[in-house]
Amino acid sequence: MASQEVKLLGFWVSPFSIRVEWALKLKGVDYEYIEEDIFNKSSRLLELNPVHKKVPVLVHDGKVMAESFILLEYIDETWKQDPLLLPQDPYERSKARFWARVAEEKLLEYSFTAMCTHGEKKEQALKSAVEAAEKIEEEMKRNNKKFLGGESIGYLDLAMGWIAYWLPVWEEVGSMQIVDPSQFPATTAWSKRFLDHPVIKQNLPPRDKMLVYFHERRKILGGLV
Amino acid sequence: MAEKVVLLDFWASMFGMRVRVALAEKGIKYEYREEDLKNKSDLLLQMNPIHKKIPVLIHNGKPICESLIIVQYIDEVWNDKSPLLPSDPYKRAQARFWADFVDKKVVDAWIKLRSTKGEEHEAAKKQFLEILKTLEEELGEKPYFGGETFGFVDVAFVTFYSWFYTFETFGEFSTEAEHPKIIAWAKRCMQKESVAKTLPDQQKVYEYVLGVTKRSLGE
């Protein structure tokens, strides 16, 4: 194949752009990473993603694409080498897509809100986050393999990877607990295995910087949420 | 092996309609079960315990939830005719992006439109029209969002056409006047049997929404 130019626009602490980096690195795809300041968006970003004005954006041989879950599927369909990210079976694929959305639309949303708010708003968000985590824990329990993708990391592991690393930071910043290891043994065990994977371990933002960053976000958003 | 396909749905749901259109495009025989959203069946609660929402497709006893996930499933399993997603990965990414855009933006804008007054309502109307403008630009001169043939994005968005009279009445605008290409596209889609036979009458949808709105306002 002719030389493939792959560029990824991301933000150092975004779980959305990092999950795409994980996918590219797992597949051994070379790419140029471009750091975007999402608080001071470049004309390049606005040009490449005028609809949402967000990272990540993937550019492959001039083809521009956005939305991290969509990018994971594109990567899997384009670079067909191991690890195969999505299940082969259509039903299993539909389940992976379903649970990715549950984790994103419920657990992530509520956890982040709980981190940024206080009082009753926080209590409500926290309760909803724990409910979502419980459902995910059941799925984790049902999966008796090393990863949700089987023996190798798959789409759903990448989609949920933020739970292993970002969530504990948010819990600390928000002085709250959502995934109590004693109540969520399967999720906790999966998180450890996920973070232990050499590719994942080497591609995580520094925790101390994350704490500073999210403390700041909490302050700023706390007034608005 | 006999395929058993059951769809748990609600007649006015633009999400449920997406699945009905996809099933019709593929010529799949299925059992349609109308759900009373105020009194959800045990089967629905069992098949979609997480969200307790329609549509749910039950294929040989296994449930698939979330309309766009169901449509992709249908496209992948019944892959012998009427492909909804293109085969090229980049075109697939684009199709998924725009279907996702419809999901993320249109319903949100509608909710704002129906629940606001005064200045907020004007802002909601502006936002709704912006969304239609973006979609109209994406459509461009193509007959369908999918290009020459009816595809995934068309399925994702055309079902909202049955709600246009509702949106326009609540929003006090005319899509035909503001974004005629969208109307032309919708009418083109309505020429397809799968769409025409699925979409309910716009007036019927409006009366339903009016009824729901009145009830929620305690009238």
Side-chain angles (χ1 to χ4, degrees), chain B residues 58-110:
Chain B
I58 310 171
H59 183 206
N60 294 331
K62 294 192 284 195
I64 303 107
C65 308
E66 300 292 301
S67 62
L68 292 181
I69 293 176
I70 299 172
V71 172
Q72 286 188 86
Y73 175 82
I74 289 169
D75 202 38
E76 289 165 13
V77 173
W78 288 275
N79 54 12
D80 51 336
K81 72 180 269 205
S82 306
L84 296 171
L85 271 154
S87 47
D88 171 69
Y90 174 54
K91 294 203 170 89
R92 288 160 76 83
Q94 286 183 303
R96 286 175 173 140
F97 177 90
W98 286 105
D100 176 71
F101 175 85
V102 173
D103 260 9
K104 279 193 168 95
K105 300 281 186 181
V106 182
V107 174
D108 209 48
W110 155 238

Side-chain angles (χ1 to χ4, degrees), chain A residues 67 73 77 91 93 97, chain B residues 63 66 76 92 96 104:
Chain A
E67 295 300 296
E73 299 224 26
E77 290 168 8
Y91 180 66
R93 244 199 316 273
R97 289 169 177 151
Chain B
E66 300 292 301
E76 289 165 13
R92 288 160 76 83
R96 286 175 173 140
K104 279 193 168 95

Side-chain angles (χ1 to χ4, degrees), chain A residues 5 18-19 22 35 47 52 54 58 67 75 90 127 137 145 161-162 190 204-205 220:
Chain A
E5 208 189 39
I18 289 179
R19 64 169 61 122
W22 289 336
E35 177 74 9
E47 215 178 277
H52 297 305
K54 287 179 175 178
L58 186 75
E67 295 300 296
I75 289 166
K127 186 167 172 275
E137 171 72 9
K145 307 228 173 72
W162 65 272
W190 166 85
L204 294 167
I220 294 169

